[in-house]
Amino acid sequence: MFDWISESAFWTIFLILHGLCAVALLGAITHQFFAAFKTRGSSGSSDFIGRFKGVSPGVYTKAICILWLITFILGGYIYAQYRIAIRIPLEASGYWRTQGFFELKENWSSMGLFLLPGYYAMWCMQLNESFIKARSYLTAMLAIICWFSFLVGHIVNNVRGFGS
Amino acid sequence: MKNSQLNQCLLFSAVAPIVYFIADLYRLPMFTFFPAVNEFYWGWAPMSNDLGPGMYWYGWLATATAFSGLLSMVITRLIPEKSHFWTLLLQYLWILPIALLIPLVVSLKFYWR
């Protein structure tokens, strides 16, 4: 494989794919989050915010689960390279908090992955009002985990990413 | 999907993050991966000069998936579909990521210096 492409380019391509999937996931989950919390009557509004919230939240569920899984698998694949090429120099340079936040991202996004079956089940069920609220809160949790993971990944990439 | 399958999904989601956290805290990965030499070892294996740094994360994921998958399959059959347990699970599943965040942050105290 590395006869055709340099090792650095290989990992960079996977890092970009991981980032692109994360962006698509962010878009889908943010849409669903706003739509799940929309108040009655706001969906009829024709301005940007109204249209953003006016989507039917349920249609995003399957896409979010698939995108989370793909992003997670890609992240898991490049993680082995990160362990050797990024983490060791980060620790040697004393970026302890950056590494700490990355560890938190790793653990929290794993927990997000484990929450997906329950999240999917809740969006499949016919729920009454109080459970709909609980479903919205769960969606919010996943959105927070997703945004947190994205930002931490972005910061770690800024500290030691492309070409390093 | 049948109701029992949906309940199984809910239970898996409630159990797996906790099992994952316990596996992390008590060094219980199903296997350890050494990326420098591309080798796997069952259970928790310490890093060494020959093997390089070890990765336990894949092993924690495997532990949590296998254990929680089995547990949720068994427990779903034991608890009746009409039980109040399932409504509680539906109502409070979303609290889990916040509840686990605090011990997670504390468990990473080594890095907050």
Side-chain angles (χ1 to χ4, degrees), chain A residues 1-4 21 39 48 51 56 65 69 71 79 83 104 108 111 115 119 124 126 128 154-156:
Chain A
M1 181 62 154
F2 294 129
D3 292 340
W4 301 346
C21 288
T39 49
F48 174 76
R51 281 170 186 266
S56 174
C65 292
L69 196 63
T71 310
Y79 190 25
R83 181 65 184 87
L104 204 54
W108 226 24
M111 289 180 181
L115 285 173
Y119 155 85
C124 285
Q126 295 290 328
N128 66 32
H154 189 63
I155 288 166
V156 172

Side-chain angles (χ1 to χ4, degrees), chain A residues 107-156:
Chain A
N107 290 324
W108 226 24
S109 61
S110 303
M111 289 180 181
L113 180 81
F114 291 134
L115 285 173
L116 289 181
Y119 155 85
Y120 182 76
M122 285 181 91
W123 278 101
C124 285
M125 289 171 169
Q126 295 290 328
L127 301 173
N128 66 32
E129 196 61 39
S130 65
F131 294 134
I132 287 175
K133 258 189 193 161
R135 184 178 69 187
S136 301
Y137 294 148
L138 184 61
T139 306
M141 283 297 119
L142 286 175
I144 291 168
I145 292 172
C146 188
W147 273 99
F148 174 79
S149 301
F150 181 81
L151 292 174
V152 170
H154 189 63
I155 288 166
V156 172

Side-chain angles (χ1 to χ4, degrees), chain B:
Chain B
M1 276 176 110
K2 286 184 206 163
N3 264 354
S4 62
Q5 287 172 318
L6 293 174
N7 287 343
Q8 201 174 313
C9 286
L10 278 174
L11 191 58
F12 175 86
S13 287
V15 174
I18 298 168
V19 175
Y20 173 88
F21 182 64
I22 292 170
D24 175 0
L25 212 60
Y26 293 101
R27 294 182 173 179
L28 297 168
M30 192 179 281
F31 56 84
T32 305
F33 175 57
F34 291 91
V37 290
N38 263 328
E39 283 182 22
F40 287 89
Y41 289 88
W42 285 110
W44 188 90
M47 60 175 80
S48 68
N49 288 338
D50 295 335
L51 298 169
M55 293 182 73
Y56 308 106
W57 179 68
Y58 303 113
W60 298 331
L61 288 173
T63 303
T65 306
F67 187 80
S68 313
L70 272 173
L71 200 74
S72 57
M73 233 162 48
V74 172
I75 291 181
T76 309
R77 286 172 194 207
L78 296 177
I79 301 175
E81 270 184 33
K82 301 273 181 201
S83 167
H84 187 53
F85 174 77
W86 301 113
T87 55
L88 279 175
L89 212 55
L90 272 173
Q91 198 86 63
Y92 297 112
L93 182 63
W94 66 274
I95 293 175
L96 205 59
I98 310 176
L100 285 172
L101 180 64
I102 299 157
L104 254 180
V105 170
V106 174
S107 75
L108 296 170
K109 64 177 182 287
F110 171 78
Y111 295 101
W112 315 127
R113 43 174 142 161

Side-chain angles (χ1 to χ4, degrees), chain A residues 4-151:
Chain A
W4 301 346
I5 189 171
S6 74
E7 195 179 342
S8 161
F10 176 83
W11 291 112
T12 302
I13 288 168
F14 273 94
L15 181 61
I16 290 172
L17 284 175
H18 175 58
L20 286 175
C21 288
V23 169
L25 176 61
L26 268 185
I29 207 160
T30 308
H31 246 307
Q32 190 180 49
F33 165 73
F34 277 102
F37 280 96
K38 74 184 166 205
T39 49
R40 283 207 180 101
S42 65
S43 58
S45 169
S46 61
D47 61 0
F48 174 76
I49 303 288
R51 281 170 186 266
F52 192 84
K53 290 196 279 189
V55 295
S56 174
V59 297
Y60 289 94
T61 309
K62 222 176 244 178
I64 287 168
C65 292
I66 293 168
L67 281 168
W68 195 297
L69 196 63
I70 295 172
T71 310
F72 196 85
I73 290 169
L74 285 169
Y77 182 60
I78 56 178
Y79 190 25
Q81 178 66 8
Y82 170 90
R83 181 65 184 87
I84 299 168
I86 310 294
R87 182 170 160 176
I88 293 170
L90 272 188
E91 289 180 353
S93 313
Y95 285 99
W96 294 106
R97 284 184 187 172
T98 309
Q99 180 53 32
F101 274 106
F102 185 83
E103 295 280 321
L104 204 54
K105 162 195 157 100
E106 165 207 83
N107 290 324
W108 226 24
S109 61
S110 303
M111 289 180 181
L113 180 81
F114 291 134
L115 285 173
L116 289 181
Y119 155 85
Y120 182 76
M122 285 181 91
W123 278 101
C124 285
M125 289 171 169
Q126 295 290 328
L127 301 173
N128 66 32
E129 196 61 39
S130 65
F131 294 134
I132 287 175
K133 258 189 193 161
R135 184 178 69 187
S136 301
Y137 294 148
L138 184 61
T139 306
M141 283 297 119
L142 286 175
I144 291 168
I145 292 172
C146 188
W147 273 99
F148 174 79
S149 301
F150 181 81
L151 292 174

